[in-house]
Amino acid sequence: MKIRLHHPRRDLEIVGRGRVSQILAELGLDPEAHLVIRGDTLLTSDSEVDEADEIEIRPVISGGTTDGAPCAV
Amino acid sequence: MRRHRAAYCAPHFLEFFEAQVHRAITTQRMFRPGERILVAVSGGKDSLALWEILLRRGDDATGLHVDLGIGGYSQESRARTEEFARARGARLLVADLRAEYGMDIGTLAKASGRNSCSACGLSKRYLFNKLARDGGFTAVVTGHNLDDEAAVLLGNLLHWNMDQLARQAPVLEQTHPHLVRRVKPLYRTSERESAAYALLRGIDYVIEECPHSRGARSLLHKEVLNSLEAASAGTKQAFYWGFLDRLAPVLRAGGPPVLHPCRQCDQPTTEEVCAFCRMTARAAARQSAGASSHP
């Protein structure tokens, strides 16, 4: 399967199929901090991803200031 | 979409998320009927999702985007915000830091001796209040979510920032005639939920992060809280909402800080001259000293 990642933006491939939760675990990515998307569809942690699929793993943690205030705006 | 003690299909998740925002607004009495509100919009998932919901609710919500001059990141953020406004026929004000003050955030931070995030946060807080006042808006709405608030709370507790702890709330009331009320209608929902809402509504937001935020302490606090959340779902909500219920009222009992108009710009401050005026003056002085020493 082809996987698009961000921060930094990069592509990688994993051979075989697997559940979303397994893929995130293999890549060492926190499920609380990412969305997994196939086409226009948001996948849940138990969704199966096939070998031929292309998915995007999108980070959701944003902002960060050193004085404690977030920069969500 | 998974949540503590719940899981939603896409249509019900959209309903749930919008209901949470509506509940935040009503239970915290964030807006008055017919109020003109100014929504601070960065072009990211939280602020655009929030603006979308306010427009769907029929609120009189004008957007405010501050162009910070951070290279391609700011260009993309501004473009996404303007496109969102255009597509919905929504009113948008754009403030350009370089045009208004002659410096972008990087230059301002360097010249004033602050770090970029500190200069950015200070500039945005200042401009939100100033432009809201100038435009006759009576509330500034920001897209701070549960994760933002929990991370700030953790940071404030770790360093015992008592003044900031006392001021942390979903509604910052007007405590001075020159201070516009600030509200955070996303305080009940996580940033993963904001991202999911934006995605499901087809909102084109900026995914890339501000280049200045790398390594920021609040990101570490968010990671720690996400680890706790993974081990025990509902931790973030219990942490922040518990603070609001139990500790915030005690801390607020001391009353708000005494504010008065800045001698230079008339914005409310606890000092004689506000922090923004001091920062820009220091930056301008350093720039001119640098220019004169390198003819």
Side-chain angles (χ1 to χ4, degrees), chain A residues 31 58 62-64 66 68 73, chain B residues 45 115 124 152 217-219 222:
Chain A
R58 188 181 292 189
S62 62
T66 47
V73 291
Chain B
K45 63 189 191 311
N115 67 58
K124 285 195 288 196
V152 170
R217 203 163 50 197
S218 72
L219 292 180
K222 284 187 174 183

Side-chain angles (χ1 to χ4, degrees), chain A residues 67, chain B residues 66-68 95-109 111-131 133-134 260-285:
Chain A
D67 65 354
Chain B
V66 179
D67 188 329
L68 301 158
D96 190 317
L97 206 63
R98 285 164 301 187
E100 299 284 335
Y101 297 96
M103 280 180 261
D104 59 33
I105 277 296
T107 315
L108 185 59
S112 67
R114 282 180 177 257
N115 67 58
S116 298
C117 293
S118 167
C120 180
L122 174 58
S123 301
K124 285 195 288 196
R125 282 191 295 275
Y126 178 86
L127 287 171
F128 294 162
N129 194 71
K130 181 181 188 306
L131 296 173
R133 252 185 89 199
D134 291 351
H260 45 257
C262 168
R263 189 158 47 86
Q264 291 182 10
C265 72
D266 205 36
Q267 288 289 297
T269 176
T270 53
E271 311 285 336
E272 195 172 330
V273 175
C274 77
F276 183 79
C277 283
R278 282 184 276 131
M279 176 175 73
T280 48
R282 191 175 178 196

Side-chain angles (χ1 to χ4, degrees), chain B residues 236-254:
Chain B
K236 276 185 281 195
Q237 182 176 305
F239 179 54
Y240 182 55
W241 294 12
F243 164 77
L244 293 179
D245 288 342
R246 294 175 172 86
L247 192 55
V250 178
L251 294 172
R252 275 200 297 271

Side-chain angles (χ1 to χ4, degrees), chain B residues 3 8 11-21 189 193:
Chain B
R3 197 175 212 258
Y8 296 96
H12 285 118
F13 172 72
L14 293 174
E15 270 181 33
F16 158 79
F17 190 84
E18 289 172 0
Q20 287 296 314
V21 174
T189 49
E193 289 168 337

Side-chain angles (χ1 to χ4, degrees), chain B:
Chain B
M1 185 70 184
R2 174 181 50 80
R3 197 175 212 258
H4 177 41
R5 294 181 183 158
Y8 296 96
C9 61
H12 285 118
F13 172 72
L14 293 174
E15 270 181 33
F16 158 79
F17 190 84
E18 289 172 0
Q20 287 296 314
V21 174
H22 180 71
R23 191 168 171 187
I25 291 168
T26 52
T27 60
Q28 298 286 330
R29 296 179 184 168
M30 290 183 171
F31 307 146
R32 303 180 191 107
E35 183 168 18
R36 288 181 66 227
I37 56 182
L38 192 62
V39 190
V41 198
S42 67
K45 63 189 191 311
D46 301 293
S47 55
L48 287 182
L50 176 57
W51 198 12
E52 170 84 18
I53 294 171
L54 298 179
L55 292 171
R56 283 175 177 269
R57 277 168 39 95
D59 291 319
D60 186 354
T62 298
L64 168 61
H65 178 76
V66 179
D67 188 329
L68 301 158
I70 308 173
Y73 172 74
S74 283
Q75 286 170 14
E76 199 180 336
S77 301
R78 181 170 175 167
R80 300 285 168 94
T81 305
E82 289 176 339
E83 180 51 36
F84 179 96
R86 210 169 7 250
R88 288 154 183 82
R91 286 188 307 281
L92 173 67
L93 308 177
V94 176
D96 190 317
L97 206 63
R98 285 164 301 187
E100 299 284 335
Y101 297 96
M103 280 180 261
D104 59 33
I105 277 296
T107 315
L108 185 59
K110 197 172 172 187
S112 67
R114 282 180 177 257
N115 67 58
S116 298
C117 293
S118 167
C120 180
L122 174 58
S123 301
K124 285 195 288 196
R125 282 191 295 275
Y126 178 86
L127 287 171
F128 294 162
N129 194 71
K130 181 181 188 306
L131 296 173
R133 252 185 89 199
D134 291 351
F137 297 94
T138 45
V140 170
V141 186
T142 63
H144 295 120
N145 56 48
L146 174 62
D147 295 67
D148 295 326
E149 295 299 294
V152 170
L153 175 58
L154 180 59
N156 283 337
L157 286 171
L158 288 172
H159 298 94
W160 295 114
N161 296 327
M162 298 305 287
D163 291 346
Q164 289 179 37
L165 279 168
R167 285 200 295 270
Q168 198 178 345
V171 177
L172 301 171
E173 292 291 353
Q174 182 182 33
T175 54
H176 184 274
H178 294 183
L179 188 67
V180 179
R181 197 166 81 260
R182 286 215 336 248
V183 300
K184 305 169 188 174
L186 296 184
Y187 83 94
R188 299 179 63 90
T189 49
S190 72
E191 60 188 345
R192 190 168 186 274
E193 289 168 337
S194 287
Y197 181 85
L199 181 79
L200 294 172
R201 280 278 180 233
I203 296 170
D204 187 19
Y205 67 89
V206 179
I207 300 169
E208 300 313 314
E209 263 305 292
C210 173
H212 293 308
S213 73
R214 288 184 197 121
R217 203 163 50 197
S218 72
L219 292 180
L220 171 64
H221 295 157
K222 284 187 174 183
E223 286 169 15
V224 168
L225 288 165
N226 277 340
S227 297
L228 293 171
E229 184 76 21
S232 178
T235 296
K236 276 185 281 195
Q237 182 176 305
F239 179 54
Y240 182 55
W241 294 12
F243 164 77
L244 293 179
D245 288 342
R246 294 175 172 86
L247 192 55
V250 178
L251 294 172
R252 275 200 297 271
V258 176
L259 300 174
H260 45 257
C262 168
R263 189 158 47 86
Q264 291 182 10
C265 72
D266 205 36
Q267 288 289 297
T269 176
T270 53
E271 311 285 336
E272 195 172 330
V273 175
C274 77
F276 183 79
C277 283
R278 282 184 276 131
M279 176 175 73
T280 48
R282 191 175 178 196
R286 279 206 192 179
Q287 269 201 329
S288 62
S292 60
S293 63
H294 301 287

